[in-house]
Amino acid sequence: MPVLMVATYNEDGSVNVMNAAWGTMQERGNVALNLTETHKTVTNIKARGAFTVSIADAAHVVEADYFGVESGNKVSNKLENSGLTASKSEIVDAPIINEFPLCLECKFIEYQNGEYGCGVIGKVVNVTADERVMAGDKVDMSLVNAIAFDPYTHGYYKVTERVGEAFKDGLRLKK
């Protein structure tokens, strides 16, 4: 599963970041994060109407894991403790973590709480990417060095190699 860094502002304007492995694109322009309302991040998202989702990379695996093992409900200076830095988004009322190479800036749409799960739904309104992960005018995911989480072994794995062409390779098996 992707390792997502969800960043928001606390009531006092300080930055809160959490590690959320249970998230995905809901459709091309929306993200869905499976987060319970007990997370400080959810409180902040509802209050500010915005959040950012950064893709964690191998160079910052320690910091990314810290954002998951430390609760924003107990520690308000998680970003400061991590040694990372943030900038204010010019589009939404949420921080961008400078050291992560790829960031989705999102407006809060709704919080869903149903029989089969709960979570935050957001509309991606802007994407920022560090120049080092760009190939021309497109993001090259092999340069992001994204990490993935294996919930069965509790391991992080680096995702760096493109191994196929979606919606094309499987056509060879069609009769």
Side-chain angles (χ1 to χ4, degrees), residues 5 7 25 31 51-57 85-92 94-106 123-141 143-144:
M5 300 291 101
M25 295 301 293
V31 295
F51 59 98
T52 61
V53 178
S54 295
I55 306 298
D57 63 346
T85 61
S87 299
K88 181 167 182 11
S89 165
E90 295 180 14
I91 310 294
V92 298
I96 295 171
I97 309 307
N98 297 322
E99 290 78 7
F100 293 122
L102 187 60
C103 180
L104 308 176
E105 299 172 55
C106 304
K123 174 106 179 121
V124 178
V125 295
N126 193 44
V127 177
T128 57
D130 191 291
E131 286 188 26
R132 66 187 155 95
V133 301
M134 298 296 292
D137 63 347
K138 295 186 178 173
V139 173
D140 182 339
M141 285 306 292
L143 299 175
V144 172

Short mmCIF file of all heavy atoms in Angstrom, two decimals, residues 5 7 25 31 51-57 85-92 94-106 123-141 143-144:
data_model
loop_
_atom_site.label_atom_id
_atom_site.label_comp_id
_atom_site.label_asym_id
_atom_site.label_seq_id
_atom_site.Cartn_x
_atom_site.Cartn_y
_atom_site.Cartn_z
N MET A 5 1.65 10.77 3.37
CA MET A 5 1.85 11.74 4.44
C MET A 5 0.74 12.78 4.32
O MET A 5 0.71 13.56 3.35
CB MET A 5 3.21 12.42 4.31
CG MET A 5 4.39 11.46 4.38
SD MET A 5 4.61 10.74 6.00
CE MET A 5 3.89 9.12 5.77
N ALA A 7 -0.96 16.07 5.61
CA ALA A 7 -0.56 17.25 6.38
C ALA A 7 -1.71 18.23 6.51
O ALA A 7 -2.45 18.48 5.54
CB ALA A 7 0.65 17.92 5.73
N MET A 25 -6.63 6.71 -4.67
CA MET A 25 -7.40 7.58 -5.55
C MET A 25 -8.78 6.96 -5.66
O MET A 25 -8.93 5.78 -5.93
CB MET A 25 -6.76 7.68 -6.94
CG MET A 25 -5.40 8.36 -6.96
SD MET A 25 -5.37 10.03 -6.32
CE MET A 25 -6.32 10.92 -7.54
N VAL A 31 -9.28 11.83 -3.77
CA VAL A 31 -8.57 10.88 -2.92
C VAL A 31 -9.52 10.42 -1.82
O VAL A 31 -10.41 11.16 -1.41
CB VAL A 31 -7.29 11.46 -2.30
CG1 VAL A 31 -6.27 11.80 -3.35
CG2 VAL A 31 -7.59 12.67 -1.44
N PHE A 51 -6.34 19.72 3.06
CA PHE A 51 -5.21 18.90 3.50
C PHE A 51 -4.32 18.65 2.29
O PHE A 51 -4.71 18.88 1.15
CB PHE A 51 -5.69 17.58 4.11
CG PHE A 51 -6.51 16.71 3.18
CD1 PHE A 51 -5.94 15.66 2.49
CD2 PHE A 51 -7.87 16.94 3.02
CE1 PHE A 51 -6.69 14.86 1.65
CE2 PHE A 51 -8.64 16.15 2.18
CZ PHE A 51 -8.05 15.10 1.49
N THR A 52 -3.11 18.20 2.55
CA THR A 52 -2.22 17.77 1.48
C THR A 52 -1.86 16.31 1.71
O THR A 52 -1.86 15.82 2.83
CB THR A 52 -0.93 18.61 1.39
OG1 THR A 52 -0.20 18.49 2.61
CG2 THR A 52 -1.25 20.07 1.10
N VAL A 53 -1.57 15.62 0.61
CA VAL A 53 -1.13 14.24 0.66
C VAL A 53 0.18 14.16 -0.11
O VAL A 53 0.20 14.39 -1.32
CB VAL A 53 -2.17 13.29 0.03
CG1 VAL A 53 -1.67 11.85 0.05
CG2 VAL A 53 -3.51 13.40 0.73
N SER A 54 1.24 13.85 0.61
CA SER A 54 2.55 13.69 -0.02
C SER A 54 2.88 12.21 -0.12
O SER A 54 2.46 11.41 0.72
CB SER A 54 3.64 14.40 0.78
OG SER A 54 3.44 15.79 0.77
N ILE A 55 3.66 11.87 -1.12
CA ILE A 55 4.12 10.49 -1.29
C ILE A 55 5.43 10.37 -0.54
O ILE A 55 6.40 11.09 -0.84
CB ILE A 55 4.33 10.16 -2.79
CG1 ILE A 55 3.07 10.46 -3.60
CG2 ILE A 55 4.81 8.72 -2.96
CD1 ILE A 55 1.86 9.66 -3.22
N ALA A 56 5.49 9.47 0.44
CA ALA A 56 6.72 9.27 1.20
C ALA A 56 7.77 8.59 0.31
O ALA A 56 7.44 7.74 -0.51
CB ALA A 56 6.45 8.43 2.44
N ASP A 57 9.02 8.99 0.51
CA ASP A 57 10.10 8.41 -0.28
C ASP A 57 11.11 7.70 0.61
O ASP A 57 11.12 7.87 1.84
CB ASP A 57 10.77 9.47 -1.15
CG ASP A 57 11.44 10.58 -0.36
OD1 ASP A 57 11.20 10.71 0.86
OD2 ASP A 57 12.23 11.32 -0.96
N THR A 85 10.62 20.29 7.04
CA THR A 85 10.09 21.65 6.97
C THR A 85 8.84 21.68 6.09
O THR A 85 8.59 20.76 5.32
CB THR A 85 11.14 22.62 6.38
OG1 THR A 85 11.47 22.19 5.06
CG2 THR A 85 12.40 22.67 7.25
N ALA A 86 8.08 22.77 6.22
CA ALA A 86 6.85 22.89 5.43
C ALA A 86 6.71 24.30 4.89
O ALA A 86 7.26 25.26 5.44
CB ALA A 86 5.64 22.56 6.30
N SER A 87 5.97 24.39 3.81
CA SER A 87 5.58 25.67 3.20
C SER A 87 4.07 25.70 3.10
O SER A 87 3.42 24.65 2.97
CB SER A 87 6.15 25.80 1.79
OG SER A 87 7.55 25.75 1.80
N LYS A 88 3.50 26.88 3.14
CA LYS A 88 2.05 27.02 3.00
C LYS A 88 1.66 26.88 1.54
O LYS A 88 2.25 27.49 0.67
CB LYS A 88 1.59 28.38 3.53
CG LYS A 88 0.09 28.56 3.44
CD LYS A 88 -0.42 29.73 4.22
CE LYS A 88 -1.91 29.91 4.17
NZ LYS A 88 -2.74 28.87 3.65
N SER A 89 0.67 26.06 1.29
CA SER A 89 0.13 25.95 -0.06
C SER A 89 -0.45 27.29 -0.47
O SER A 89 -1.06 27.98 0.35
CB SER A 89 -0.97 24.88 -0.10
OG SER A 89 -1.74 24.99 -1.28
N GLU A 90 -0.31 27.64 -1.73
CA GLU A 90 -0.93 28.85 -2.25
C GLU A 90 -2.36 28.59 -2.71
O GLU A 90 -3.09 29.53 -3.01
CB GLU A 90 -0.10 29.40 -3.41
CG GLU A 90 1.28 29.86 -2.98
CD GLU A 90 2.11 30.40 -4.14
OE1 GLU A 90 1.55 30.67 -5.22
OE2 GLU A 90 3.33 30.56 -3.95
N ILE A 91 -2.77 27.31 -2.72
CA ILE A 91 -4.08 26.92 -3.26
C ILE A 91 -5.06 26.55 -2.16
O ILE A 91 -6.23 26.93 -2.21
CB ILE A 91 -3.94 25.74 -4.24
CG1 ILE A 91 -2.86 26.01 -5.30
CG2 ILE A 91 -5.28 25.40 -4.88
CD1 ILE A 91 -3.15 27.12 -6.26
N VAL A 92 -4.62 25.78 -1.17
CA VAL A 92 -5.50 25.32 -0.08
C VAL A 92 -4.92 25.71 1.27
O VAL A 92 -3.74 26.05 1.37
CB VAL A 92 -5.71 23.78 -0.14
CG1 VAL A 92 -6.40 23.39 -1.45
CG2 VAL A 92 -4.42 23.03 0.05
N ALA A 94 -3.49 24.41 3.80
CA ALA A 94 -2.77 23.25 4.32
C ALA A 94 -1.29 23.38 3.96
O ALA A 94 -0.94 24.06 3.00
CB ALA A 94 -3.35 21.97 3.73
N PRO A 95 -0.43 22.71 4.73
CA PRO A 95 1.01 22.78 4.47
C PRO A 95 1.49 21.76 3.45
O PRO A 95 0.90 20.68 3.30
CB PRO A 95 1.61 22.48 5.84
CG PRO A 95 0.60 21.57 6.49
CD PRO A 95 -0.74 22.02 5.98
N ILE A 96 2.57 22.11 2.77
CA ILE A 96 3.27 21.19 1.88
C ILE A 96 4.59 20.84 2.57
O ILE A 96 5.35 21.74 2.94
CB ILE A 96 3.55 21.84 0.51
CG1 ILE A 96 2.23 22.13 -0.21
CG2 ILE A 96 4.46 20.96 -0.34
CD1 ILE A 96 2.38 22.96 -1.47
N ILE A 97 4.86 19.56 2.75
CA ILE A 97 6.11 19.14 3.37
C ILE A 97 7.18 19.20 2.29
O ILE A 97 7.12 18.49 1.29
CB ILE A 97 6.00 17.72 3.97
CG1 ILE A 97 4.77 17.62 4.88
CG2 ILE A 97 7.28 17.36 4.72
CD1 ILE A 97 4.66 18.66 5.96
N ASN A 98 8.15 20.08 2.49
CA ASN A 98 9.13 20.41 1.45
C ASN A 98 9.99 19.23 1.01
O ASN A 98 10.37 19.16 -0.16
CB ASN A 98 10.03 21.54 1.93
CG ASN A 98 9.26 22.81 2.19
OD1 ASN A 98 8.33 23.15 1.45
ND2 ASN A 98 9.61 23.52 3.25
N GLU A 99 10.31 18.33 1.90
CA GLU A 99 11.25 17.27 1.59
C GLU A 99 10.65 16.11 0.80
O GLU A 99 11.39 15.34 0.17
CB GLU A 99 11.89 16.74 2.88
CG GLU A 99 12.84 17.72 3.54
CD GLU A 99 12.16 18.83 4.32
OE1 GLU A 99 10.90 18.80 4.50
OE2 GLU A 99 12.86 19.75 4.77
N PHE A 100 9.34 15.95 0.81
CA PHE A 100 8.72 14.87 0.03
C PHE A 100 8.57 15.33 -1.42
O PHE A 100 8.17 16.46 -1.69
CB PHE A 100 7.38 14.46 0.63
CG PHE A 100 7.51 13.81 1.99
CD1 PHE A 100 6.86 14.33 3.09
CD2 PHE A 100 8.29 12.68 2.16
CE1 PHE A 100 6.98 13.73 4.34
CE2 PHE A 100 8.43 12.08 3.39
CZ PHE A 100 7.77 12.61 4.49
N PRO A 101 8.88 14.45 -2.38
CA PRO A 101 8.99 14.87 -3.78
C PRO A 101 7.68 15.13 -4.53
O PRO A 101 7.70 15.77 -5.57
CB PRO A 101 9.74 13.72 -4.44
CG PRO A 101 9.43 12.53 -3.58
CD PRO A 101 9.27 13.06 -2.18
N LEU A 102 6.56 14.65 -4.02
CA LEU A 102 5.30 14.75 -4.75
C LEU A 102 4.17 15.04 -3.76
O LEU A 102 4.08 14.38 -2.72
CB LEU A 102 5.03 13.43 -5.48
CG LEU A 102 3.86 13.36 -6.44
CD1 LEU A 102 4.00 14.37 -7.56
CD2 LEU A 102 3.75 11.95 -7.02
N CYS A 103 3.34 16.02 -4.07
CA CYS A 103 2.29 16.43 -3.14
C CYS A 103 0.99 16.73 -3.88
O CYS A 103 0.98 17.46 -4.88
CB CYS A 103 2.74 17.67 -2.37
SG CYS A 103 1.54 18.28 -1.18
N LEU A 104 -0.10 16.19 -3.35
CA LEU A 104 -1.45 16.49 -3.85
C LEU A 104 -2.09 17.47 -2.87
O LEU A 104 -2.17 17.19 -1.67
CB LEU A 104 -2.29 15.21 -3.91
CG LEU A 104 -1.71 14.01 -4.64
CD1 LEU A 104 -2.64 12.81 -4.51
CD2 LEU A 104 -1.44 14.34 -6.09
N GLU A 105 -2.54 18.59 -3.37
CA GLU A 105 -3.21 19.60 -2.54
C GLU A 105 -4.71 19.37 -2.70
O GLU A 105 -5.21 19.35 -3.82
CB GLU A 105 -2.80 21.00 -2.97
CG GLU A 105 -1.29 21.23 -2.82
CD GLU A 105 -0.83 22.54 -3.41
OE1 GLU A 105 -1.39 23.59 -3.03
OE2 GLU A 105 0.08 22.50 -4.28
N CYS A 106 -5.40 19.20 -1.57
CA CYS A 106 -6.79 18.75 -1.61
C CYS A 106 -7.74 19.65 -0.83
O CYS A 106 -7.41 20.12 0.26
CB CYS A 106 -6.89 17.34 -1.04
SG CYS A 106 -5.83 16.14 -1.86
N LYS A 123 -10.92 16.48 -2.91
CA LYS A 123 -10.74 16.80 -4.34
C LYS A 123 -9.33 17.33 -4.53
O LYS A 123 -8.93 18.30 -3.87
CB LYS A 123 -11.75 17.85 -4.78
CG LYS A 123 -11.56 18.35 -6.18
CD LYS A 123 -12.61 17.76 -7.06
CE LYS A 123 -12.46 18.26 -8.48
NZ LYS A 123 -12.26 17.16 -9.40
N VAL A 124 -8.57 16.72 -5.42
CA VAL A 124 -7.23 17.20 -5.73
C VAL A 124 -7.36 18.45 -6.60
O VAL A 124 -7.96 18.40 -7.68
CB VAL A 124 -6.40 16.13 -6.47
CG1 VAL A 124 -5.02 16.68 -6.83
CG2 VAL A 124 -6.29 14.86 -5.64
N VAL A 125 -6.85 19.57 -6.09
CA VAL A 125 -6.96 20.83 -6.82
C VAL A 125 -5.62 21.31 -7.37
O VAL A 125 -5.58 22.22 -8.19
CB VAL A 125 -7.62 21.93 -5.96
CG1 VAL A 125 -9.07 21.56 -5.65
CG2 VAL A 125 -6.84 22.19 -4.69
N ASN A 126 -4.53 20.68 -6.92
CA ASN A 126 -3.21 21.04 -7.43
C ASN A 126 -2.23 19.92 -7.09
O ASN A 126 -2.39 19.24 -6.09
CB ASN A 126 -2.72 22.36 -6.82
CG ASN A 126 -1.52 22.92 -7.54
OD1 ASN A 126 -1.46 22.93 -8.77
ND2 ASN A 126 -0.55 23.39 -6.78
N VAL A 127 -1.25 19.74 -7.94
CA VAL A 127 -0.18 18.77 -7.70
C VAL A 127 1.14 19.51 -7.82
O VAL A 127 1.36 20.25 -8.79
CB VAL A 127 -0.23 17.61 -8.71
CG1 VAL A 127 0.92 16.64 -8.49
CG2 VAL A 127 -1.57 16.89 -8.65
N THR A 128 2.01 19.33 -6.82
CA THR A 128 3.35 19.89 -6.90
C THR A 128 4.36 18.75 -6.90
O THR A 128 4.15 17.73 -6.23
CB THR A 128 3.65 20.86 -5.74
OG1 THR A 128 3.48 20.17 -4.50
CG2 THR A 128 2.73 22.06 -5.77
N ALA A 129 5.42 18.93 -7.66
CA ALA A 129 6.47 17.91 -7.73
C ALA A 129 7.82 18.59 -7.79
O ALA A 129 7.99 19.61 -8.46
CB ALA A 129 6.27 17.04 -8.96
N ASP A 130 8.77 18.01 -7.07
CA ASP A 130 10.14 18.50 -7.10
C ASP A 130 10.72 18.26 -8.50
O ASP A 130 10.43 17.23 -9.13
CB ASP A 130 10.95 17.73 -6.04
CG ASP A 130 12.32 18.33 -5.81
OD1 ASP A 130 13.16 18.24 -6.73
OD2 ASP A 130 12.54 18.88 -4.73
N GLU A 131 11.54 19.17 -8.97
CA GLU A 131 12.12 19.03 -10.32
C GLU A 131 12.91 17.75 -10.49
O GLU A 131 12.98 17.21 -11.60
CB GLU A 131 13.01 20.24 -10.63
CG GLU A 131 12.20 21.49 -10.92
CD GLU A 131 13.07 22.63 -11.43
OE1 GLU A 131 14.14 22.37 -12.01
OE2 GLU A 131 12.65 23.78 -11.24
N ARG A 132 13.46 17.23 -9.41
CA ARG A 132 14.28 16.01 -9.51
C ARG A 132 13.47 14.77 -9.88
O ARG A 132 14.04 13.74 -10.24
CB ARG A 132 15.07 15.78 -8.22
CG ARG A 132 14.23 15.47 -7.01
CD ARG A 132 15.06 15.43 -5.72
NE ARG A 132 14.24 15.71 -4.58
CZ ARG A 132 13.68 14.80 -3.82
NH1 ARG A 132 13.85 13.53 -4.07
NH2 ARG A 132 12.93 15.15 -2.80
N VAL A 133 12.13 14.84 -9.79
CA VAL A 133 11.30 13.68 -10.15
C VAL A 133 10.55 13.90 -11.46
O VAL A 133 9.68 13.11 -11.81
CB VAL A 133 10.32 13.31 -9.01
CG1 VAL A 133 11.08 12.98 -7.74
CG2 VAL A 133 9.28 14.38 -8.78
N MET A 134 10.91 14.95 -12.15
CA MET A 134 10.23 15.27 -13.40
C MET A 134 11.04 14.76 -14.60
O MET A 134 12.26 14.80 -14.61
CB MET A 134 10.04 16.78 -13.53
CG MET A 134 9.18 17.40 -12.45
SD MET A 134 7.49 16.82 -12.44
CE MET A 134 6.88 17.52 -13.97
N ALA A 135 10.31 14.30 -15.61
CA ALA A 135 10.89 13.95 -16.91
C ALA A 135 10.12 14.80 -17.91
O ALA A 135 9.00 14.47 -18.28
CB ALA A 135 10.72 12.47 -17.19
N GLY A 136 10.70 15.93 -18.25
CA GLY A 136 9.98 16.88 -19.08
C GLY A 136 8.88 17.51 -18.26
O GLY A 136 9.12 18.04 -17.18
N ASP A 137 7.64 17.40 -18.75
CA ASP A 137 6.51 17.99 -18.03
C ASP A 137 5.69 16.96 -17.27
O ASP A 137 4.57 17.23 -16.84
CB ASP A 137 5.63 18.78 -18.99
CG ASP A 137 4.98 17.91 -20.07
OD1 ASP A 137 5.41 16.74 -20.23
OD2 ASP A 137 4.05 18.39 -20.73
N LYS A 138 6.24 15.74 -17.08
CA LYS A 138 5.52 14.67 -16.38
C LYS A 138 6.36 14.13 -15.22
O LYS A 138 7.58 14.10 -15.28
CB LYS A 138 5.20 13.53 -17.33
CG LYS A 138 4.23 13.92 -18.42
CD LYS A 138 3.83 12.76 -19.26
CE LYS A 138 2.83 13.26 -20.28
NZ LYS A 138 2.47 12.31 -21.25
N VAL A 139 5.65 13.67 -14.19
CA VAL A 139 6.32 13.02 -13.06
C VAL A 139 6.80 11.64 -13.51
O VAL A 139 6.04 10.89 -14.13
CB VAL A 139 5.37 12.88 -11.86
CG1 VAL A 139 6.01 12.05 -10.75
CG2 VAL A 139 4.96 14.24 -11.32
N ASP A 140 8.05 11.32 -13.21
CA ASP A 140 8.59 9.99 -13.46
C ASP A 140 8.59 9.25 -12.13
O ASP A 140 9.43 9.52 -11.27
CB ASP A 140 10.00 10.09 -14.03
CG ASP A 140 10.63 8.75 -14.36
OD1 ASP A 140 10.18 7.72 -13.81
OD2 ASP A 140 11.58 8.73 -15.15
N MET A 141 7.64 8.35 -11.93
CA MET A 141 7.48 7.68 -10.64
C MET A 141 8.71 6.89 -10.22
O MET A 141 8.96 6.70 -9.04
CB MET A 141 6.25 6.78 -10.65
CG MET A 141 4.93 7.54 -10.56
SD MET A 141 4.80 8.69 -9.16
CE MET A 141 4.77 7.55 -7.78
N LEU A 143 11.63 7.96 -10.33
CA LEU A 143 12.52 8.92 -9.68
C LEU A 143 12.02 9.35 -8.31
O LEU A 143 12.77 9.90 -7.51
CB LEU A 143 12.70 10.15 -10.57
CG LEU A 143 13.33 9.89 -11.94
CD1 LEU A 143 13.34 11.17 -12.77
CD2 LEU A 143 14.73 9.32 -11.80
N VAL A 144 10.74 9.10 -8.02
CA VAL A 144 10.16 9.49 -6.74
C VAL A 144 10.73 8.64 -5.60
O VAL A 144 10.86 9.10 -4.48
CB VAL A 144 8.62 9.39 -6.78
CG1 VAL A 144 8.00 9.60 -5.41
CG2 VAL A 144 8.06 10.39 -7.79
#
